[in-house]
Amino acid sequence: TTIKSKTNFFAGAATGAVCASSGSPVSETTARRTSQSCRRTRSIMTNLGDTIAASADRDKTAKILAPMPKKPTIATVAREAGVAVSTVSRFLNGRYVSQEVRARLAEVIATLGYERSWTARNLSLGRRGSIGVVVDSSEDPWFVHVLAGIEEELLTRDASLMLSSLELRGQYDPARVFEWIRGHRVDGLIVVKSQRRERSLLRAAVDAGLPTIAVAPDEALTHVPVLRCRNYEAGRDVGRYLAGLGHRH
């Protein structure tokens, strides 16, 4: 549309210039002939503009409709490297492959620009590829550091995280987490600073066979692994150590 409007502007300007050239007083016959000439010129230039615009539209449409090049698959890699698909799979999953084959596969993958499908990989392993992280409020400065540590570890395991704040809208709402558990939408659950009110949530996760861990819970838990800082014991040990060095103040 832009090309067509610009082209029509060009056609109009050119037509106006041609017609303006006959602006001096002339005879009726000459004027009639000039008028006819102007109309023919305007028609020709307008048709030219439409033709150019249509051609540009066809080129644009052809580019849009042009088939996208197919992405190389694991079968493509195996064929180019002269190995079995299972060998490529072992290489991609970090299992044993001879040094010679490993080097050849690395070269073929780089040449083809192959990128593995994490969705297909997770499906083959029966995984979702993500870990659920639950906290009362994600605005807690202490939790931000915990979250950074979780992310760093997940990067080494080709996994991502799904975050749920139980008090996101100012009131307690664990519905989303229960949906994760019932729908098996995550491979595991990390519940940070769990309280008494999270008992039903933790119980549902355990009953669903979902690997779950509680970080710094506010109460003693026996049915899930617990990760907590032993601050009081650490303070006591530091005090004893300093006292042993002769410090009294």
Side-chain angles (χ1 to χ4, degrees):
T1 303
T2 302
I3 294 175
K4 183 175 181 180
S5 61
K6 289 183 177 179
T7 308
N8 284 344
F9 174 80
F10 165 76
T15 303
V18 172
C19 294
S21 65
S22 60
S24 56
V26 293
S27 66
E28 183 179 347
T29 301
T30 302
R32 185 170 60 254
R33 290 176 178 174
T34 301
S35 177
Q36 292 174 350
S37 176
C38 286
R39 285 196 298 272
R40 285 195 299 271
T41 303
R42 181 180 289 108
S43 177
I44 292 171
M45 296 302 292
T46 300
N47 289 337
L48 175 62
D50 291 341
T51 301
I52 294 174
S55 177
D57 289 341
R58 283 195 300 271
D59 290 343
K60 183 178 180 181
T61 302
K63 290 180 180 179
I64 294 175
L65 298 179
M68 295 292 290
K70 291 184 178 180
K71 291 184 177 181
T73 64
I74 189 172
T76 309
V77 174
R79 183 174 63 252
E80 293 296 322
V83 298
V85 171
S86 58
T87 302
V88 181
S89 178
R90 288 201 306 274
F91 170 76
L92 294 175
N93 291 315
R95 294 198 286 270
Y96 175 77
V97 176
S98 69
Q99 191 63 34
E100 178 185 353
V101 173
R102 182 179 297 276
R104 188 160 71 248
L105 285 173
E107 182 179 355
V108 169
I109 288 173
T111 301
L112 294 176
Y114 169 77
E115 295 181 359
R116 68 192 306 181
S117 170
W118 293 107
T119 300
R121 176 175 181 267
N122 287 331
L123 286 174
S124 67
L125 297 175
R127 301 190 336 182
R128 296 293 182 271
S130 61
I131 299 295
V133 179
V134 183
V135 67
D136 54 355
S137 173
S138 58
E139 296 180 352
D140 186 332
W142 175 81
F143 171 71
V144 173
H145 293 287
V146 174
L147 185 63
I150 294 173
E151 286 187 297
E152 289 179 6
E153 180 62 26
L154 291 180
L155 282 175
T156 67
R157 299 176 180 273
D158 298 325
S160 59
L161 67 83
M162 294 173 63
L163 176 63
S164 179
S165 298
L166 298 176
E167 297 178 357
L168 183 62
R169 297 181 177 86
Q171 60 182 7
Y172 183 70
D173 184 9
R176 176 184 296 180
V177 183
F178 278 111
E179 289 177 2
W180 290 355
I181 296 171
R182 288 193 298 267
H184 300 282
R185 296 180 57 188
V186 293
D187 298 316
L189 208 59
I190 300 175
V191 184
V192 182
K193 295 171 58 179
S194 66
Q195 304 175 39
R196 183 185 183 89
R197 62 187 183 182
E198 273 80 70
R199 286 182 178 180
S200 61
L201 189 153
L202 293 171
R203 175 56 62 188
V206 171
D207 291 343
L210 185 66
T212 303
I213 185 170
V215 178
D218 287 347
E219 61 176 352
L221 298 174
T222 58
H223 56 297
V224 296
V226 172
L227 176 64
R228 68 166 78 247
C229 295
R230 302 173 63 180
N231 296 323
Y232 293 109
E233 291 86 346
R236 183 184 60 201
D237 291 343
V238 169
R240 287 176 176 175
Y241 174 75
L242 293 175
L245 295 177
H247 296 280
R248 294 293 181 269
H249 302 287

